[in-house]
Amino acid sequence: MMLSRRSFFKLTGASTIGWYAATRFGWIQRAMAAIEGGTLDPADVLKYQTPLLIPPVMPRAATITMPGGKPADYYEISMRQFQEQILPAGMPATTVWGYGAVSRASKKGLLIHNAPSLTIESKWNRPVRIKWINDLKDADGHYLPHLLPVDPTLHWANPPQGSDPAHYGEGPRDSRPAFEETTPGAYTGPVPIVTHVHGAVSVGDESDGYAEAWYLPDADGIPDGYATEGTWYDFFAGKAASKFGVDWGPGFATFQYPNNQRESTIWYHDHTLGMTRLNVYAGPAGFYLVRGGPEGEKAVLDSRTNTTAVLPSPAPKEGDMFPSNKTYYEIPIAIQDRSFNEDGSLFYPDTRAFFDQFTGPYIPHSNVSPIWNPEFFGNMIMVNGNTWPFQTVEQRRYRLRFLNGCQSRFLILDFSDIPGIEVWQIGNEGGFLTAPVNLTADHGNRLLMGLAERADMIVDFTNVPVGNHVLRNVGPDEPFGGGVPGEDFDAADSDSTGQVMEFRVVPAVAADPTTPPQFLVFPAITALPAPDTTRPLALIELESEVH
């Protein structure tokens, strides 16, 4: 009989004694209840009420000239708190965080903050410089606390750095503090951030979003004795000044990305030590696309003519209106799981008991943290910032760039309920594949996506009947251990997390000019050099000795 990992922990608490008794006396029950979450029941949220948001393009603040005369794109981007209509209209709005531009070179540039955030469009071998600003403060300039419960007993940023040992424990910033007598509550101080572009190549360590190079907002009310930057902030600030001639200061850091990698789908998100899961769950993330170069789209050929192939387009461009008056055939799609409360707020566990019903003792009376959960699965699916949206598509080919932005959930996207569809994968986070892969013919119309994984797809709706069709997810509502859905593990709840979004298919408005995927010829992939060093790595999950 199959048993989910969460069910195992709920049966055993933090010990192995219960597991032995359970198996020996045969009273293990397979969990059939819906996924736990906040006070808002997924069954009370209507599906396919909201059109899919197609993220616009982030506006540049300026074009700058690098030493030697090379041009570069410059952005000024802040992270802010705001309200967004994630649930269907008529339900409460949700307070979230998101990135957005604070200056623009063109009057058409969109100065909006959103979650997911606007897409950064970059060109191969053209540097991008970004001033990342922590603007998590209110209208009066006072810092804002976290939207979610922060566990201060972890190895984390720890801005208090021992300034109030009675509450926060002894220990420096970027460490796991020690607590002597009382289990602490959630941290409610100013929020540190540092941004990481996930998948960027050849980025210097000063610009990579180093977890210990975080910084607080330049806000009022920060308690005396708090560290306002991480332990590596000053070192990397000096390195950035030396390399690029840029200054860092209160509440911001300036990073630079060379974009000398293959054309690819990458993304950006917060990366703060011990808080990444919480900060990203609150909303700040967006696509970052690298286009062009010798292994880019213009190097893709049509085997029938040996000329440049035609991929589905257009995609959003800088300066497009929002909402757009254009039809896009290349669309980025970020899939995330979330849970909500009835007031529209994001739900995230505020106790370890949510995970395995272990109610203590916690630190300092054991080695179990009071708030942190080993993993979390939301009970609703959110796509591009809305729960279960719909997208109108024509009977033609589309290029869909998928991102698994979930925290713990592997996705198995299942197109098989869409009659007549044909699905091809043409790329991943590293750029174009060596050849297109027909997922309809070879993989049962399914795509497995791990955490933070990207997939560049051509989805052909040409032969799909006009009407509404649902993209499903048959990945598990628990950690993925391999195998076949329905045989080796239970697929996601078919009424909630087993549904992703709806495609509303309409007749094509014109002939499809794009190259059929089977005729695409991709540029060769340059082989990696032989490794200099091979290091064995063991990832071990320890079990507490508390019974």
Side-chain angles (χ1 to χ4, degrees), residues 529-534:
D532 296 324
T533 306
T534 301

Side-chain angles (χ1 to χ4, degrees), residues 190-262:
V191 178
I193 72 163
V194 62
T195 303
H196 171 64
V197 177
H198 191 125
V201 175
S202 302
V203 177
D205 52 5
E206 81 292 329
S207 299
D208 198 35
Y210 203 74
E212 290 94 340
W214 52 265
Y215 43 96
L216 299 183
D218 184 19
D220 296 331
I222 295 176
D224 292 340
Y226 270 46
T228 55
E229 298 95 13
T231 50
W232 283 87
Y233 178 93
D234 287 341
F235 174 81
F236 288 138
K239 195 168 184 180
S242 176
K243 288 178 67 173
F244 310 123
V246 297
D247 293 326
W248 294 15
F252 74 92
T254 303
F255 297 168
Q256 188 157 307
Y257 310 95
N259 300 315
N260 57 4
Q261 62 199 82
R262 302 176 75 229

Side-chain angles (χ1 to χ4, degrees), residues 11-36:
L11 286 170
T12 63
S15 75
T16 57
I17 296 175
W19 170 247
Y20 172 78
T23 53
R24 181 174 178 82
F25 296 106
W27 50 265
I28 294 177
Q29 296 294 319
R30 199 165 163 187
M32 300 301 291
I35 308 170
E36 297 176 33

Side-chain angles (χ1 to χ4, degrees), residues 324-402:
S324 179
N325 58 354
K326 295 182 179 179
T327 299
Y328 299 122
Y329 297 109
E330 180 190 321
I331 304 172
I333 297 179
I335 303 172
Q336 299 168 295
D337 55 350
R338 295 289 187 269
S339 292
F340 299 86
N341 295 308
E342 289 182 344
D343 64 359
S345 62
L346 290 169
F347 169 82
Y348 201 85
D350 62 359
T351 172
R352 169 58 187 258
F354 178 86
F355 176 73
D356 57 7
Q357 298 180 354
F358 181 68
T359 57
Y362 298 127
I363 288 173
H365 307 294
S366 75
N367 63 352
V368 180
S369 291
I371 298 174
W372 174 78
N373 280 229
E375 69 245 352
F376 175 71
F377 290 78
N379 57 17
M380 304 188 207
I381 295 295
M382 184 176 76
V383 183
N384 285 4
N386 288 109
T387 52
W388 295 299
F390 70 86
Q391 172 65 25
T392 299
V393 295
E394 300 171 29
Q395 290 175 311
R396 55 156 291 161
R397 285 179 283 272
Y398 283 73
R399 184 179 184 182
L400 305 180
R401 296 178 184 253
F402 286 100

Side-chain angles (χ1 to χ4, degrees), residues 451-530:
L451 309 177
E453 190 172 357
R454 285 85 72 201
D456 194 350
M457 313 283 289
I458 290 182
V459 180
D460 192 345
F461 295 94
T462 302
N463 297 315
V464 176
V466 170
N468 302 340
H469 306 277
V470 175
L471 171 61
R472 295 190 174 271
N473 164 46
V474 293
D477 288 326
E478 61 187 34
F480 178 69
V484 178
E487 296 180 14
D488 301 297
F489 57 84
D490 288 335
D493 185 343
S494 61
D495 293 327
S496 58
T497 51
Q499 299 183 49
V500 178
M501 63 179 292
E502 181 180 73
F503 291 110
R504 298 186 176 179
V505 181
V506 299
V509 298
D512 188 348
T514 64
T515 305
Q518 62 266 35
F519 299 117
L520 296 175
V521 179
F522 297 128
I525 297 176
T526 303
L528 293 173

